Amino acid sequence: MGGAHPQRGLRAGAPRRLAGAVARGHRRLGSAGALALLLTACSAGGSGGGGVAHNHGTPSIPAADGLPRMVVPADNPYTEAKFELGRALFHDTRLSGNGTQSCASCHEQARAFTDGRPLAIGSTGQTHPRNAQPLANAAFHATLTWANPTLVTLEHQMEVPLFGTDPVELGITDANMPEVLGRFAADAKYVELFAAAFGGGSGQITIGNIIKAIATFERGLTSADSRYDRYLAGKAVLTESETRGMQLFMGEKAECFHCHGSFNFNDHIRYVGQGRVETPFHNTGLYNMGGTGAFPYPNRGLFEFTAQAADMGAFRAASLRNVALTAPYMHDGSIAALEEVLDFYAAGGRNVTNGPLAGDGRRNPYKSDLIGNISLTAQDKTDLVAFLRTLTDDTLVTSARFAKPSWLP
Ligand code: HEC
Ligand code: HEC
């Protein structure tokens, strides 16, 4: 059924959207072919005369070939000078109150900008309630983090790791801010980079400009060179198992494409020229504490913002680009390996049999109807994992362009 499922409105099991989003027909890609078509259209045009510009009018973001055009705030246009400054700041532990942690401590390039831990740990040792997310193509996400409808720009999101106190991440406060800024003002290389990015004078070394520069680095942090991208561009072949996995992923038996069906392998994206921006959140049946549908505080998803029962456990679908590198999985890192994620989907949710989180997530009353429809054989699971492994972009994780600059201590 190529038209996909009808919009279900606001009842249990329906994707949870932001207040104000207009209920409407399902506009996401409705068939396997559509995903391939979109991806092909986006990656087309590279070769030969007459090809359209690679990144659809965002020529200033060099690594964005094959992706749609990114929405960039008018007050923070993309420049390479800001990208270079932002790259250094992103990797620099001087950007934390106690000088021990940088963005890269939790977002490591080699792990597709995640940290390999179930739950992140901040600069003062506090455990974050959630799993660190990958950052490639994050600039395309319509809302940021696992389930926060209020964070819609990278600039705004960054206030959380910089200044957050519950938990402390980088731990910058009003009290230590002068010291933190002073560290950069005292470094001739930074004085040079700030001048190149924002104009001369040490007055440019402000937290506002730091945020603009790192957001620019994040916009440049794009991923579109996986084996799957190359396959779509006719430059790589997939094995039989990977091909079967791709067909399953995009079909109605595994249902994955409904929630992971964009060029970024989720359903929560924003780009220039898109029709309407969709911001769905889904309950996948990970928990059902005491049989009430409850997820553990403070990981109740959209419910933390709306306090509406139907939003319980509703999270943004993760982008699956580079997913083979981003274990462990889910908002709380509670699934260790991709094979286990597939077991979870094949079971239609997770039955937690003992302890304080006990409850049968397969029967969570707020679970998306799609999850219950998934049926997979052992071979299907193997093939799906093989397909997911084709989404790894070696360029992203090895490119010097995204790495810690060699001059940094
Ligand atoms: C202590 C570890 C830690 C540090 C340090 C950290 N992050 Fe994160 N990051 C996380 C976690 C955990 C999440 C998921 C947060 C959530 O869902 O509440 C996240 C999410 C994000 C997201 C959302 C991605 C998406 O797809 O929506 C962005 C963007 C981000 N971080 C950027 C940064 C930047 C920039 C810095 C440095 C200024 C930084 N982070 C520092 C742990 C960290
Ligand atoms: C109803 C929407 C929906 C469907 C259908 C769906 N997913 Fe998901 N997926 C999500 C959501 C939401 C999350 C995050 C859940 C959480 O952390 O609570 C997720 C997380 C994942 C993750 C973990 C990624 C990470 O970085 O933590 C993988 C892998 C994944 N899905 C693969 C699949 C595959 C393969 C299929 C098809 C068999 C599928 N999904 C079907 C919504 C969906």
Side-chain angles (χ1 to χ4, degrees), residues 90 95 101-107 115 120-123 128 130-135 138 141 143-147 154 157-158 161-162 168-170 214 218 316:
F90 181 91
L95 189 62
Q101 206 177 43
S102 68
C103 308
S105 306
C106 300
H107 299 288
D115 64 359
I121 298 178
S123 61
H128 196 294
R130 282 173 291 280
N131 178 253
Q133 292 176 298
L135 300 186
H141 290 156
T143 75
L144 294 158
T145 71
W146 282 103
L154 292 167
Q157 188 280 327
M158 217 178 304
L162 289 173
V168 172
E169 295 181 61
L170 295 176
I214 297 177
E218 292 179 290
R316 195 187 75 187

Side-chain angles (χ1 to χ4, degrees), residues 187-266:
D187 184 325
K189 181 70 184 172
Y190 271 109
V191 173
E192 192 185 297
L193 287 172
F194 273 94
F198 296 106
S202 55
Q204 299 292 358
I205 303 184
T206 63
I207 196 73
N209 281 345
I210 286 173
I211 289 173
K212 284 185 171 175
I214 297 177
T216 300
F217 172 67
E218 292 179 290
R219 293 195 174 96
L221 205 53
T222 53
S223 177
D225 194 28
S226 67
R227 260 185 66 229
Y228 182 62
D229 294 300
R230 292 177 184 211
Y231 157 77
L232 290 176
K235 292 184 224 154
V237 287
L238 299 185
T239 67
E240 262 176 50
S241 175
E242 290 163 351
T243 305
R244 276 196 304 271
M246 172 180 72
Q247 285 159 353
L248 279 162
F249 188 90
M250 294 170 190
E252 300 289 351
K253 186 175 183 218
E255 310 276 22
C256 317
F257 75 93
H258 288 291
C259 305
H260 297 284
S262 75
F263 68 88
N264 207 29
F265 296 90
N266 62 357

Side-chain angles (χ1 to χ4, degrees), residues 356-407:
L357 305 178
D360 190 348
R362 295 171 300 181
R363 305 200 192 295
N364 190 304
Y366 309 113
K367 191 181 80 168
S368 163
D369 297 348
L370 289 165
I371 303 297
N373 286 343
I374 297 172
S375 81
L376 303 170
T377 64
Q379 184 64 47
D380 292 342
K381 290 188 263 182
T382 303
D383 295 339
L384 277 162
V385 169
F387 172 65
L388 292 176
R389 293 189 187 285
T390 70
L391 305 180
T392 299
D393 178 350
D394 292 328
T395 307
L396 174 83
V397 293
T398 58
S399 170
R401 184 173 162 73
F402 305 135
K404 180 175 177 175
S406 53
W407 58 268

Side-chain angles (χ1 to χ4, degrees), residues 54-79:
H54 249 168
N55 51 33
H56 299 222
T58 317
S60 48
I61 301 179
D65 286 7
L67 296 171
R69 188 174 161 197
M70 198 177 278
V71 176
V72 180
D75 65 353
N76 191 18
Y78 184 92
T79 68

